[in-house]
Amino acid sequence: MGATLDLSTYDPDDPDPWLALHLDQSMPIDPEAKAALLRGAASWSRRWMFNIIRPFVFVFFLLVKILRGLSPRYPNLNGLLHKTIHWGLKTFATPDANLLIVRHFNIGTELLAFIKANAGDVEINTVPLRPRTLKDLEDNVFLQHDLNVFNFVIQLNASLRKQGRDLMPVDRPDFSMISDEPFKIPRTKKGWLNFVDVQTAVEVYTPLYALMLPRSDFIRASNSLQLDEVVAIYIGKILGTDYHLSFIKNGHPLVPLSTMQAGFRLMLHGLDCEALHGWLRLMKRRQAAGLPMDPRARV
């Protein structure tokens, strides 16, 4: 794979960049997820195949955008899309890629649940997503994930505006919904075709999403990727600290980026969510140890 992530192999005259990132602690990411990301980034699929297919994906994406300009509502093949994603991941994606994708929906559910639990009396109705297997993804998980994020933002802020208030620091935040143990996601099988890393899979999947869903669904999905900063600000208001905003990199949605960049921003979105979830795990442990929420505060 090009990276051992083993300190015993360290050579000061030829340091492995992946080992450096593996040892780096600047972002509070779950070790299993971080190792999966690094193995994918160092794989031949990401280093070679990703760059070979990108021009073809770009051309395909342009054709899809033209089609959607002519027919913004049809075809609408949501069910087929989810079945195709399931089949593609099961057949071609690595176990690491599949783990990261299934993890993402569980993490997103917990991040929104944390905000809701610490927002006071608010009316929010979203659908918790707890997939454990690739088959579970067929249950409209990708589309529902996007609906959840926007419905959450709308309903949360409608409730707060109705009450004439905003999110405020909570003396003792409720972290009960933040899983402190690894998610119970079984590893998928590694067949001879399972060589595609997560970023390459995302790059191929993005224009397919645009092709098989109405234009409004795809634009909403693309714009949702820039809500990471919004969610991080909500969490900052609750925790009373902005420390974690330093590692949120997906940009604010008031300046929307091109949908042609959706594949790359989807990767940033996954990284941001992993970092935010890891941060809340850390805060949960600090609270249990009687330490302040802000790591810059003197004890």
Side-chain angles (χ1 to χ4, degrees), residues 61-277:
F61 213 156
L62 284 178
L63 294 175
V64 170
K65 287 181 73 68
I66 292 171
L67 172 64
R68 279 308 182 191
L70 297 174
S71 179
R73 299 181 64 183
Y74 301 101
N76 183 357
L77 304 170
N78 180 43
L80 179 61
L81 170 67
H82 282 78
K83 285 181 170 60
T84 302
I85 292 173
H86 169 213
W87 173 81
L89 293 176
K90 179 178 68 174
T91 306
F92 300 107
T94 65
D96 281 337
N98 291 332
L99 171 68
L100 290 169
I101 290 170
V102 176
R103 271 181 61 89
H104 178 71
F105 300 105
N106 289 273
I107 286 172
T109 291
E110 294 193 359
L111 292 176
L112 297 185
F114 172 80
I115 298 170
K116 180 180 178 180
N118 291 282
D121 185 17
V122 292
E123 295 182 11
I124 301 175
N125 295 297
T126 55
V127 180
L129 299 175
R130 291 287 189 180
R132 290 293 185 260
T133 67
L134 291 180
K135 180 67 175 177
D136 294 338
L137 298 180
E138 289 191 8
D139 190 20
N140 201 38
V141 168
F142 287 88
L143 184 60
Q144 188 61 55
H145 175 64
D146 302 327
L147 294 173
N148 277 349
V149 175
F150 278 108
N151 285 332
F152 186 91
V153 171
I154 291 170
Q155 294 173 20
L156 170 67
N157 286 282
S159 290
L160 293 175
R161 284 171 177 261
K162 184 177 180 179
Q163 299 170 40
R165 65 184 183 88
D166 196 359
L167 295 171
M168 297 292 291
V170 177
D171 290 336
R172 189 171 180 80
D174 179 4
F175 292 101
S176 61
M177 74 298 298
I178 302 298
S179 300
D180 209 19
E181 300 295 329
F183 293 111
K184 295 179 180 179
I185 300 173
R187 300 282 288 187
T188 56
K189 295 180 180 179
K190 179 70 167 72
W192 68 276
L193 284 176
N194 296 110
F195 60 87
V196 178
D197 67 283
V198 67
Q199 190 168 1
T200 302
V202 164
E203 195 73 14
V204 173
Y205 141 77
T206 301
L208 192 65
Y209 202 102
L211 174 65
M212 301 179 77
L213 290 181
R215 183 173 63 182
S216 59
D217 285 343
F218 176 68
I219 291 176
R220 180 175 56 238
S222 178
N223 290 344
S224 75
L225 302 174
Q226 289 183 256
L227 286 172
D228 297 345
E229 188 172 328
V230 171
V231 171
I233 290 171
Y234 294 163
I235 291 173
K237 289 180 178 181
I238 292 168
L239 296 179
T241 172
D242 60 356
Y243 187 92
H244 59 282
L245 289 173
S246 63
F247 50 74
I248 303 301
K249 299 299 180 185
N250 219 356
H252 200 282
L254 283 177
V255 184
L257 298 172
S258 168
T259 55
M260 299 296 291
Q261 300 170 272
F264 175 67
R265 290 191 291 111
L266 184 53
M267 288 300 298
L268 284 180
H269 171 61
L271 183 64
D272 284 350
C273 290
E274 285 283 0
L276 275 176
H277 190 264

